Amino acid sequence: MSVIAEENVRGIGGSVFKEISADNDEDNQPTEIESLCMNCYQNGMTRILLTKIPFFKEVIISSFTCPNCSWSNTEIQSAGRIQDQAIAYTLKVKSKQDMNREVVKADSATTRIPEVDFEIPPYTQKGSLSTIEGLIDRAVAGLEQDQQLRNATAPAVAVKIDEFIDKLKKLKEGGFTLVIDDPSGNSFVENPFAPQKDEALSVSHYKRTPQQDAQLGIKAEDEEKPSNDIDCMRNEVLTFNTNCPECNAPASTNMKIVQIPHFKEVIIMATNCDDCGHRTNEVKSGGATEELGTKITLHLTNVSDMSRDLLKSETCSILIPELEFELGMAAVGGKFTTLEGLLKDIKDLIVSKNPFTCGDSSTSDRTEKLKLFGEKIDKIMAGEMDVHIVLDDPAGNSYLQNVYAPDPDPEMTTEKYTRTFEQNEDLGLNDMKTEGYQE
């Protein structure tokens, strides 16, 4: 077996993960290692490439081929940081076309198909970049692997597995639900209709449980008893150490309680990275969930509207009816910014940082469609389009500045509404018991 020098692994004078490129760069070549084939037990070749996919993240791509038995295998592993929240994708697969959707499945993700009571537990498969059809084919191949041995030792079990394999193969016609639940937040399911909302795909972010943190190897820090002196906290900026979400270098996060005029108290957190210059901010509501949801509609009539202060909570969704665009809750997180800043974040999320707009995953139609959407966002920010911005927050913790305050704003309407059962379920209010919970 060949020996890899340390300088080849860690890189010399630069990052370990090189930008992916079509150029014949010597520094961007895969590392080849002679390895044992687990199919024929002779030596094959493993190729490992540490690369950085534009607008996505750092990944480790590995492939194995055996010249003796022609067996091959490919894997992809995320080399980036574990995300702040877990993520769950639920996709209604209705046709064969949906089978071609690209899927990034991390090894910590759980894959379920409820219709056939099928589940792939976490850490039983390596991470992969595939399609929905590829996920099913991989599951079928895994079940078929030891069928000859089962036919000889346990024929009844082998028959049942054959019947289940037939059920999985029939799923390729569509008509089932695919659920990918990833505590690390590093899995992804393609939305072919981006930037429009995909009615068949729902994405939800949630807080990990202590058990999931333990599985991911995250060590919970010792919690300190909270201070009862709220007045002191209002006048103090708290600082704690964290890692930069872009380069993963040590950084610092500042946190402060702020009172927004004509609204309520919020908690603003800002992260600054001295290494790469990355800056980000996040806003959390400092109060309770309101009794009624809030829907704010602003008619943009002048470019000066772009300077309005805006507070978007994590539970707030954004709609632009003229563009047939809807962005679900938690997509861009909680933010305290201006209307222009929010539109720039939407453009970055949908266009600039979309992992399927470049490389082999991109198509000319999709790229052109997203480019046209980005141009429309630019026109809105320049005041050249007559549109409405709708902030729909079931928790009632979002805010848009009224420049005519305390008088009503003629171009802005604020509607209070009663939440539906589904919205209460998303907020975790249906199972919350605040009275008589000791009984």
Side-chain angles (χ1 to χ4, degrees):
M1 182 178 293
S2 63
V3 179
I4 308 174
E6 182 178 357
E7 59 267 20
N8 292 334
V9 175
R10 301 194 176 277
I12 301 178
S15 173
V16 178
F17 298 87
K18 303 295 183 182
E19 295 282 354
I20 193 166
S21 172
D23 299 334
N24 189 15
D25 187 359
E26 293 184 358
D27 294 335
N28 202 27
Q29 297 299 315
T31 301
E32 296 185 350
I33 308 173
E34 189 176 3
S35 309
L36 178 67
C37 175
M38 302 308 295
N39 189 47
C40 67
Y41 299 103
Q42 299 189 46
N43 283 343
M45 185 63 66
T46 297
R47 292 174 175 84
I48 301 176
L49 178 64
L50 280 67
T51 187
K52 186 175 182 180
I53 300 177
F55 310 119
F56 191 43
K57 61 182 66 176
E58 296 170 339
V59 295
I60 301 174
I61 303 173
S62 63
S63 67
F64 174 82
T65 54
C66 179
N68 302 292
C69 66
S70 300
W71 189 73
S72 63
N73 183 34
T74 59
E75 294 178 7
I76 182 172
Q77 296 182 10
S78 173
R81 61 190 291 272
I82 296 174
Q83 303 303 310
D84 294 333
Q85 287 186 317
I87 194 168
Y89 294 91
T90 303
L91 175 66
K92 299 288 186 180
V93 181
K94 301 177 182 178
S95 62
K96 290 184 177 180
Q97 187 176 1
D98 287 333
M99 302 296 293
N100 296 325
R101 291 183 186 235
E102 292 178 314
V103 177
V104 176
K105 176 186 172 295
D107 52 3
S108 59
T110 300
T111 305
R112 294 191 297 271
I113 303 178
E115 284 80 359
V116 293
D117 198 19
F118 175 70
E119 178 176 324
I120 302 176
Y123 304 107
T124 57
Q125 288 184 351
K126 295 294 184 179
S128 64
L129 172 61
S130 180
T131 61
I132 296 176
E133 183 177 7
L135 290 178
I136 295 177
D137 288 340
R138 189 177 183 183
V140 170
L143 292 173
E144 290 177 341
Q145 186 173 1
D146 296 326
Q147 276 299 84
Q148 291 183 353
L149 179 62
R150 294 191 192 98
N151 284 324
T153 58
V157 176
V159 170
K160 292 182 179 180
I161 292 179
D162 284 333
E163 293 175 354
F164 189 76
I165 290 174
D166 291 338
K167 291 182 180 180
L168 289 179
K169 291 181 178 179
K170 291 179 181 179
L171 293 178
K172 294 183 180 181
E173 301 295 326
F176 65 94
T177 304
L178 176 69
V179 180
I180 296 181
D181 190 342
D182 185 9
S184 72
N186 287 325
S187 294
F188 188 82
V189 177
E190 178 191 9
N191 174 11
F193 305 103
Q196 274 76 35
K197 180 181 179 181
D198 188 351
E199 298 295 339
L201 178 66
S202 64
V203 184
S204 61
H205 298 76
Y206 63 93
K207 185 178 180 180
R208 285 185 293 269
T209 64
Q211 292 78 12
Q212 290 173 327
D213 282 338
Q215 279 187 328
L216 294 172
I218 302 175
K219 184 179 179 180
E221 298 181 356
D222 295 334
E223 296 183 358
E224 298 181 357
K225 293 183 179 181
S227 174
N228 293 326
D229 195 355
I230 301 298
D231 293 332
C232 292
M233 294 183 63
R234 288 192 179 97
N235 299 322
E236 182 182 358
V237 177
L238 303 179
T239 302
F240 52 91
N241 297 325
T242 183
N243 287 347
C244 173
E246 288 293 329
C247 67
N248 209 33
S252 60
T253 296
N254 298 327
M255 181 177 70
K256 191 177 188 303
I257 299 176
V258 177
Q259 175 69 46
I260 297 180
H262 310 291
F263 191 52
K264 61 173 67 174
E265 280 188 342
V266 297
I267 301 172
I268 297 180
M269 293 182 288
T271 302
N272 300 317
C273 179
D274 295 332
D275 280 21
C276 67
H278 176 74
R279 302 175 65 185
T280 183
N281 68 78
E282 188 175 359
V283 176
K284 303 285 187 180
S285 173
T289 301
E290 298 293 329
E291 293 184 3
L292 299 175
T294 303
K295 185 176 182 180
I296 305 172
T297 303
L298 174 65
H299 182 205
L300 300 181
T301 57
N302 192 286
V303 69
S304 62
D305 288 331
M306 293 295 107
S307 61
R308 290 181 184 239
D309 290 333
L310 179 145
L311 171 65
K312 178 198 171 297
S313 72
E314 290 184 335
T315 58
C316 179
S317 58
I318 305 167
L319 295 89
I320 307 178
E322 288 79 3
L323 302 186
E324 297 182 354
F325 172 76
E326 180 178 349
L327 190 67
M329 62 175 63
V332 292
K335 287 187 175 293
F336 183 49
T337 179
T338 61
L339 190 55
E340 182 180 12
L342 179 66
L343 291 174
K344 286 182 179 179
D345 289 338
I346 291 175
K347 181 182 176 182
D348 289 342
L349 178 68
I350 302 298
V351 182
S352 304
K353 296 183 179 180
N354 193 322
F356 294 113
T357 57
C358 58
D360 297 337
S361 300
S362 66
T363 62
S364 58
D365 292 342
R366 181 189 302 162
T367 303
E368 185 65 27
K369 187 178 180 182
L370 293 176
K371 180 181 178 181
L372 180 61
F373 176 79
E375 293 174 352
K376 290 181 179 179
I377 294 294
D378 290 335
K379 289 183 179 180
I380 293 175
M381 290 189 290
E384 298 175 1
M385 283 190 68
D386 185 14
V387 298
H388 294 76
I389 303 292
V390 181
L391 303 178
D392 190 350
D393 188 358
N397 288 326
S398 294
Y399 163 82
L400 184 59
Q401 182 185 10
N402 175 9
V403 294
Y404 296 91
D407 297 327
D409 189 332
E411 303 299 335
M412 184 172 72
T413 60
T414 302
E415 174 189 352
K416 298 289 186 178
Y417 63 89
T418 303
R419 287 184 291 267
T420 63
F421 179 86
E422 290 75 14
Q423 289 173 326
N424 283 330
E425 187 72 18
D426 291 338
L427 296 174
L429 299 178
N430 289 332
D431 297 328
M432 186 178 296
K433 190 176 182 181
T434 57
E435 295 179 358
Y437 52 88
Q438 296 177 342
E439 297 178 0

Short mmCIF file of all heavy atoms in Angstrom, two decimals, residues 313-363:
data_model
loop_
_atom_site.label_atom_id
_atom_site.label_comp_id
_atom_site.label_asym_id
_atom_site.label_seq_id
_atom_site.Cartn_x
_atom_site.Cartn_y
_atom_site.Cartn_z
N SER A 313 -38.65 37.40 11.84
CA SER A 313 -38.37 36.30 12.76
C SER A 313 -38.19 35.00 11.97
O SER A 313 -38.46 34.93 10.78
CB SER A 313 -39.51 36.15 13.77
OG SER A 313 -40.66 35.60 13.14
N GLU A 314 -37.74 33.95 12.67
CA GLU A 314 -37.52 32.66 12.02
C GLU A 314 -38.82 32.03 11.53
O GLU A 314 -38.80 31.17 10.64
CB GLU A 314 -36.81 31.70 12.98
CG GLU A 314 -35.38 32.07 13.26
CD GLU A 314 -34.69 31.04 14.14
OE1 GLU A 314 -35.42 30.36 14.89
OE2 GLU A 314 -33.47 30.91 14.07
N THR A 315 -39.94 32.43 12.11
CA THR A 315 -41.22 31.83 11.74
C THR A 315 -41.95 32.59 10.64
O THR A 315 -43.07 32.25 10.29
CB THR A 315 -42.14 31.76 12.98
OG1 THR A 315 -42.32 33.08 13.50
CG2 THR A 315 -41.53 30.87 14.05
N CYS A 316 -41.32 33.61 10.09
CA CYS A 316 -41.97 34.48 9.10
C CYS A 316 -41.67 34.00 7.69
O CYS A 316 -40.52 33.70 7.35
CB CYS A 316 -41.49 35.92 9.28
SG CYS A 316 -42.20 37.07 8.09
N SER A 317 -42.69 33.92 6.84
CA SER A 317 -42.53 33.61 5.43
C SER A 317 -42.69 34.89 4.61
O SER A 317 -43.38 35.83 5.03
CB SER A 317 -43.54 32.55 4.97
OG SER A 317 -44.87 33.00 5.19
N ILE A 318 -42.06 34.92 3.44
CA ILE A 318 -42.03 36.12 2.59
C ILE A 318 -42.69 35.79 1.26
O ILE A 318 -42.39 34.76 0.64
CB ILE A 318 -40.58 36.59 2.36
CG1 ILE A 318 -39.89 36.81 3.71
CG2 ILE A 318 -40.54 37.85 1.52
CD1 ILE A 318 -38.39 36.97 3.59
N LEU A 319 -43.58 36.68 0.81
CA LEU A 319 -44.27 36.49 -0.47
C LEU A 319 -44.12 37.74 -1.32
O LEU A 319 -44.18 38.87 -0.81
CB LEU A 319 -45.76 36.18 -0.27
CG LEU A 319 -46.15 34.89 0.43
CD1 LEU A 319 -46.23 35.10 1.94
CD2 LEU A 319 -47.48 34.37 -0.09
N ILE A 320 -43.91 37.54 -2.63
CA ILE A 320 -43.95 38.60 -3.63
C ILE A 320 -44.93 38.12 -4.70
O ILE A 320 -44.56 37.40 -5.62
CB ILE A 320 -42.57 38.90 -4.23
CG1 ILE A 320 -41.55 39.17 -3.12
CG2 ILE A 320 -42.65 40.10 -5.18
CD1 ILE A 320 -40.14 39.43 -3.63
N PRO A 321 -46.23 38.47 -4.58
CA PRO A 321 -47.25 37.89 -5.48
C PRO A 321 -46.96 38.17 -6.95
O PRO A 321 -47.23 37.30 -7.81
CB PRO A 321 -48.54 38.58 -5.02
CG PRO A 321 -48.27 39.02 -3.60
CD PRO A 321 -46.82 39.35 -3.57
N GLU A 322 -46.43 39.34 -7.29
CA GLU A 322 -46.20 39.68 -8.70
C GLU A 322 -45.15 38.76 -9.35
O GLU A 322 -45.17 38.56 -10.56
CB GLU A 322 -45.75 41.15 -8.82
CG GLU A 322 -46.85 42.17 -8.58
CD GLU A 322 -47.13 42.38 -7.10
OE1 GLU A 322 -46.41 41.77 -6.26
OE2 GLU A 322 -48.05 43.14 -6.76
N LEU A 323 -44.25 38.20 -8.55
CA LEU A 323 -43.23 37.28 -9.07
C LEU A 323 -43.60 35.82 -8.83
O LEU A 323 -42.82 34.93 -9.18
CB LEU A 323 -41.87 37.56 -8.41
CG LEU A 323 -41.27 38.96 -8.56
CD1 LEU A 323 -39.88 39.01 -7.96
CD2 LEU A 323 -41.25 39.38 -10.01
N GLU A 324 -44.78 35.58 -8.24
CA GLU A 324 -45.21 34.22 -7.87
C GLU A 324 -44.13 33.55 -7.02
O GLU A 324 -43.79 32.39 -7.19
CB GLU A 324 -45.51 33.37 -9.10
CG GLU A 324 -46.66 33.89 -9.94
CD GLU A 324 -46.95 33.00 -11.14
OE1 GLU A 324 -46.18 32.04 -11.35
OE2 GLU A 324 -47.94 33.25 -11.84
N PHE A 325 -43.61 34.32 -6.06
CA PHE A 325 -42.49 33.86 -5.24
C PHE A 325 -42.92 33.75 -3.78
O PHE A 325 -43.59 34.64 -3.26
CB PHE A 325 -41.31 34.83 -5.36
CG PHE A 325 -40.19 34.53 -4.41
CD1 PHE A 325 -39.32 33.48 -4.65
CD2 PHE A 325 -39.99 35.31 -3.27
CE1 PHE A 325 -38.28 33.21 -3.77
CE2 PHE A 325 -38.96 35.04 -2.39
CZ PHE A 325 -38.10 33.99 -2.65
N GLU A 326 -42.53 32.66 -3.16
CA GLU A 326 -42.79 32.46 -1.72
C GLU A 326 -41.58 31.80 -1.09
O GLU A 326 -41.07 30.80 -1.59
CB GLU A 326 -44.03 31.60 -1.51
CG GLU A 326 -44.35 31.38 -0.04
CD GLU A 326 -45.61 30.57 0.19
OE1 GLU A 326 -46.36 30.35 -0.79
OE2 GLU A 326 -45.85 30.14 1.34
N LEU A 327 -41.11 32.37 0.01
CA LEU A 327 -39.99 31.84 0.77
C LEU A 327 -40.48 31.43 2.14
O LEU A 327 -41.02 32.25 2.88
CB LEU A 327 -38.88 32.89 0.88
CG LEU A 327 -37.53 32.42 1.43
CD1 LEU A 327 -36.89 31.46 0.46
CD2 LEU A 327 -36.62 33.61 1.67
N GLY A 328 -40.33 30.16 2.48
CA GLY A 328 -40.87 29.63 3.72
C GLY A 328 -40.12 30.10 4.95
O GLY A 328 -39.06 30.73 4.87
N MET A 329 -40.69 29.79 6.11
CA MET A 329 -40.09 30.18 7.37
C MET A 329 -38.74 29.51 7.56
O MET A 329 -38.50 28.42 7.06
CB MET A 329 -41.03 29.86 8.53
CG MET A 329 -41.34 28.39 8.70
SD MET A 329 -42.34 28.04 10.17
CE MET A 329 -43.85 28.92 9.80
N ALA A 330 -37.84 30.19 8.24
CA ALA A 330 -36.49 29.72 8.61
C ALA A 330 -35.54 29.61 7.43
O ALA A 330 -34.40 29.18 7.60
CB ALA A 330 -36.55 28.36 9.33
N ALA A 331 -35.96 30.02 6.22
CA ALA A 331 -35.09 29.89 5.05
C ALA A 331 -33.89 30.82 5.15
O ALA A 331 -32.76 30.43 4.84
CB ALA A 331 -35.88 30.17 3.78
N VAL A 332 -34.10 32.07 5.55
CA VAL A 332 -32.98 33.00 5.72
C VAL A 332 -32.77 33.36 7.19
O VAL A 332 -32.01 34.28 7.50
CB VAL A 332 -33.21 34.29 4.89
CG1 VAL A 332 -33.15 34.01 3.42
CG2 VAL A 332 -34.54 34.96 5.25
N GLY A 333 -33.44 32.65 8.10
CA GLY A 333 -33.26 32.87 9.53
C GLY A 333 -33.88 34.18 9.99
O GLY A 333 -34.52 34.91 9.25
N GLY A 334 -33.70 34.46 11.28
CA GLY A 334 -34.19 35.72 11.83
C GLY A 334 -33.22 36.85 11.51
O GLY A 334 -32.01 36.69 11.63
N LYS A 335 -33.75 38.00 11.09
CA LYS A 335 -32.89 39.11 10.67
C LYS A 335 -33.48 40.44 11.12
O LYS A 335 -34.69 40.62 11.12
CB LYS A 335 -32.71 39.13 9.15
CG LYS A 335 -31.80 38.03 8.62
CD LYS A 335 -31.53 38.19 7.15
CE LYS A 335 -30.52 37.15 6.70
NZ LYS A 335 -29.20 37.37 7.29
N PHE A 336 -32.59 41.36 11.47
CA PHE A 336 -32.95 42.76 11.69
C PHE A 336 -32.15 43.56 10.68
O PHE A 336 -30.94 43.75 10.82
CB PHE A 336 -32.63 43.19 13.13
CG PHE A 336 -33.04 44.61 13.43
CD1 PHE A 336 -34.31 45.05 13.11
CD2 PHE A 336 -32.17 45.49 14.03
CE1 PHE A 336 -34.71 46.36 13.38
CE2 PHE A 336 -32.54 46.80 14.31
CZ PHE A 336 -33.83 47.23 13.98
N THR A 337 -32.80 44.02 9.63
CA THR A 337 -32.13 44.65 8.50
C THR A 337 -33.07 45.67 7.88
O THR A 337 -34.05 46.08 8.50
CB THR A 337 -31.70 43.56 7.49
OG1 THR A 337 -31.05 44.17 6.37
CG2 THR A 337 -32.88 42.76 6.99
N THR A 338 -32.76 46.08 6.66
CA THR A 338 -33.66 46.93 5.88
C THR A 338 -34.34 46.09 4.83
O THR A 338 -33.95 44.93 4.58
CB THR A 338 -32.89 48.08 5.22
OG1 THR A 338 -31.91 47.54 4.31
CG2 THR A 338 -32.20 48.94 6.25
N LEU A 339 -35.34 46.68 4.16
CA LEU A 339 -36.03 45.94 3.10
C LEU A 339 -35.06 45.62 1.96
O LEU A 339 -35.12 44.53 1.37
CB LEU A 339 -37.21 46.79 2.58
CG LEU A 339 -38.19 46.09 1.64
CD1 LEU A 339 -38.75 44.84 2.28
CD2 LEU A 339 -39.32 47.04 1.27
N GLU A 340 -34.15 46.53 1.67
CA GLU A 340 -33.15 46.27 0.64
C GLU A 340 -32.23 45.13 1.04
O GLU A 340 -31.89 44.25 0.23
CB GLU A 340 -32.33 47.53 0.37
CG GLU A 340 -31.29 47.37 -0.73
CD GLU A 340 -30.49 48.64 -0.97
OE1 GLU A 340 -30.60 49.57 -0.15
OE2 GLU A 340 -29.77 48.70 -1.99
N GLY A 341 -31.83 45.10 2.30
CA GLY A 341 -30.98 44.02 2.79
C GLY A 341 -31.66 42.67 2.70
O GLY A 341 -31.03 41.66 2.36
N LEU A 342 -32.97 42.63 2.98
CA LEU A 342 -33.71 41.37 2.89
C LEU A 342 -33.77 40.89 1.45
O LEU A 342 -33.59 39.70 1.17
CB LEU A 342 -35.13 41.57 3.46
CG LEU A 342 -36.03 40.33 3.40
CD1 LEU A 342 -35.49 39.23 4.30
CD2 LEU A 342 -37.45 40.68 3.79
N LEU A 343 -34.02 41.80 0.50
CA LEU A 343 -34.07 41.41 -0.92
C LEU A 343 -32.71 40.92 -1.40
O LEU A 343 -32.63 39.98 -2.21
CB LEU A 343 -34.55 42.60 -1.76
CG LEU A 343 -36.01 43.01 -1.56
CD1 LEU A 343 -36.32 44.28 -2.34
CD2 LEU A 343 -36.96 41.89 -1.98
N LYS A 344 -31.62 41.52 -0.92
CA LYS A 344 -30.29 41.04 -1.29
C LYS A 344 -30.05 39.63 -0.76
O LYS A 344 -29.47 38.79 -1.44
CB LYS A 344 -29.23 42.00 -0.75
CG LYS A 344 -29.12 43.32 -1.51
CD LYS A 344 -28.01 44.18 -0.95
CE LYS A 344 -27.88 45.49 -1.74
NZ LYS A 344 -26.82 46.36 -1.17
N ASP A 345 -30.50 39.37 0.47
CA ASP A 345 -30.35 38.03 1.04
C ASP A 345 -31.15 37.01 0.24
O ASP A 345 -30.70 35.87 0.03
CB ASP A 345 -30.82 38.02 2.50
CG ASP A 345 -29.86 38.76 3.41
OD1 ASP A 345 -28.69 38.91 3.03
OD2 ASP A 345 -30.28 39.21 4.49
N ILE A 346 -32.35 37.38 -0.22
CA ILE A 346 -33.17 36.47 -1.03
C ILE A 346 -32.47 36.18 -2.35
O ILE A 346 -32.41 35.03 -2.80
CB ILE A 346 -34.56 37.09 -1.27
CG1 ILE A 346 -35.37 37.14 0.03
CG2 ILE A 346 -35.33 36.30 -2.33
CD1 ILE A 346 -36.70 37.84 -0.10
N LYS A 347 -31.90 37.21 -2.97
CA LYS A 347 -31.19 37.00 -4.24
C LYS A 347 -29.98 36.11 -4.05
O LYS A 347 -29.72 35.21 -4.86
CB LYS A 347 -30.77 38.36 -4.81
CG LYS A 347 -30.04 38.24 -6.15
CD LYS A 347 -29.60 39.60 -6.66
CE LYS A 347 -28.79 39.46 -7.95
NZ LYS A 347 -28.31 40.75 -8.45
N ASP A 348 -29.22 36.32 -2.97
CA ASP A 348 -28.06 35.47 -2.71
C ASP A 348 -28.47 34.03 -2.48
O ASP A 348 -27.82 33.10 -2.99
CB ASP A 348 -27.29 35.99 -1.48
CG ASP A 348 -26.58 37.30 -1.76
OD1 ASP A 348 -26.39 37.63 -2.95
OD2 ASP A 348 -26.23 38.02 -0.80
N LEU A 349 -29.55 33.81 -1.73
CA LEU A 349 -30.00 32.45 -1.41
C LEU A 349 -30.49 31.72 -2.64
O LEU A 349 -30.16 30.54 -2.86
CB LEU A 349 -31.10 32.51 -0.34
CG LEU A 349 -31.71 31.17 0.07
CD1 LEU A 349 -30.69 30.33 0.82
CD2 LEU A 349 -32.94 31.38 0.93
N ILE A 350 -31.29 32.40 -3.49
CA ILE A 350 -31.93 31.73 -4.62
C ILE A 350 -31.01 31.65 -5.84
O ILE A 350 -31.01 30.65 -6.56
CB ILE A 350 -33.23 32.47 -5.01
CG1 ILE A 350 -34.18 32.50 -3.81
CG2 ILE A 350 -33.91 31.79 -6.18
CD1 ILE A 350 -34.62 31.15 -3.32
N VAL A 351 -30.18 32.68 -6.05
CA VAL A 351 -29.38 32.76 -7.28
C VAL A 351 -27.91 32.49 -7.01
O VAL A 351 -27.34 31.50 -7.49
CB VAL A 351 -29.57 34.14 -7.95
CG1 VAL A 351 -28.77 34.19 -9.25
CG2 VAL A 351 -31.03 34.42 -8.22
N SER A 352 -27.26 33.34 -6.23
CA SER A 352 -25.81 33.28 -6.10
C SER A 352 -25.33 32.02 -5.39
O SER A 352 -24.34 31.41 -5.79
CB SER A 352 -25.30 34.52 -5.35
OG SER A 352 -25.72 35.70 -5.99
N LYS A 353 -26.03 31.60 -4.32
CA LYS A 353 -25.57 30.47 -3.52
C LYS A 353 -26.32 29.18 -3.81
O LYS A 353 -26.27 28.24 -3.02
CB LYS A 353 -25.69 30.81 -2.02
CG LYS A 353 -24.79 31.96 -1.59
CD LYS A 353 -24.88 32.21 -0.10
CE LYS A 353 -23.96 33.36 0.32
NZ LYS A 353 -24.02 33.62 1.77
N ASN A 354 -27.04 29.14 -4.93
CA ASN A 354 -27.76 27.92 -5.30
C ASN A 354 -26.77 26.89 -5.83
O ASN A 354 -26.09 27.15 -6.83
CB ASN A 354 -28.82 28.25 -6.36
CG ASN A 354 -29.81 27.11 -6.57
OD1 ASN A 354 -29.43 25.94 -6.54
ND2 ASN A 354 -31.06 27.45 -6.75
N PRO A 355 -26.62 25.72 -5.18
CA PRO A 355 -25.60 24.75 -5.61
C PRO A 355 -25.89 24.12 -6.96
O PRO A 355 -25.01 23.49 -7.54
CB PRO A 355 -25.64 23.69 -4.49
CG PRO A 355 -27.00 23.81 -3.92
CD PRO A 355 -27.39 25.25 -4.02
N PHE A 356 -27.09 24.26 -7.50
CA PHE A 356 -27.43 23.61 -8.76
C PHE A 356 -27.46 24.59 -9.93
O PHE A 356 -28.12 24.34 -10.93
CB PHE A 356 -28.79 22.90 -8.64
CG PHE A 356 -28.76 21.75 -7.67
CD1 PHE A 356 -29.48 21.81 -6.49
CD2 PHE A 356 -28.01 20.63 -7.92
CE1 PHE A 356 -29.45 20.76 -5.59
CE2 PHE A 356 -27.97 19.58 -7.03
CZ PHE A 356 -28.70 19.64 -5.86
N THR A 357 -26.77 25.73 -9.80
CA THR A 357 -26.70 26.69 -10.91
C THR A 357 -25.34 26.65 -11.59
O THR A 357 -25.07 27.46 -12.47
CB THR A 357 -26.96 28.12 -10.41
OG1 THR A 357 -26.02 28.45 -9.38
CG2 THR A 357 -28.38 28.25 -9.89
N CYS A 358 -24.47 25.74 -11.19
CA CYS A 358 -23.16 25.67 -11.80
C CYS A 358 -22.71 24.22 -11.85
O CYS A 358 -23.27 23.34 -11.21
CB CYS A 358 -22.15 26.51 -11.01
SG CYS A 358 -22.00 26.02 -9.29
N GLY A 359 -21.68 23.97 -12.67
CA GLY A 359 -21.14 22.62 -12.77
C GLY A 359 -22.05 21.68 -13.54
O GLY A 359 -22.90 22.08 -14.33
N ASP A 360 -21.85 20.38 -13.29
CA ASP A 360 -22.61 19.36 -14.02
C ASP A 360 -24.08 19.34 -13.66
O ASP A 360 -24.90 18.81 -14.39
CB ASP A 360 -22.01 17.97 -13.74
CG ASP A 360 -20.58 17.85 -14.25
OD1 ASP A 360 -20.23 18.64 -15.15
OD2 ASP A 360 -19.83 16.99 -13.75
N SER A 361 -24.44 19.90 -12.49
CA SER A 361 -25.83 19.86 -12.04
C SER A 361 -26.70 20.92 -12.70
O SER A 361 -27.92 20.89 -12.57
CB SER A 361 -25.90 20.03 -10.52
OG SER A 361 -25.19 19.02 -9.86
N SER A 362 -26.08 21.90 -13.37
CA SER A 362 -26.84 23.02 -13.91
C SER A 362 -27.36 22.72 -15.31
O SER A 362 -26.78 21.92 -16.05
CB SER A 362 -25.97 24.28 -13.94
OG SER A 362 -24.90 24.11 -14.85
N THR A 363 -28.46 23.35 -15.67
CA THR A 363 -29.01 23.31 -17.02
C THR A 363 -29.21 24.75 -17.48
O THR A 363 -29.39 25.65 -16.67
CB THR A 363 -30.35 22.55 -17.07
OG1 THR A 363 -31.30 23.24 -16.23
CG2 THR A 363 -30.18 21.12 -16.58
#
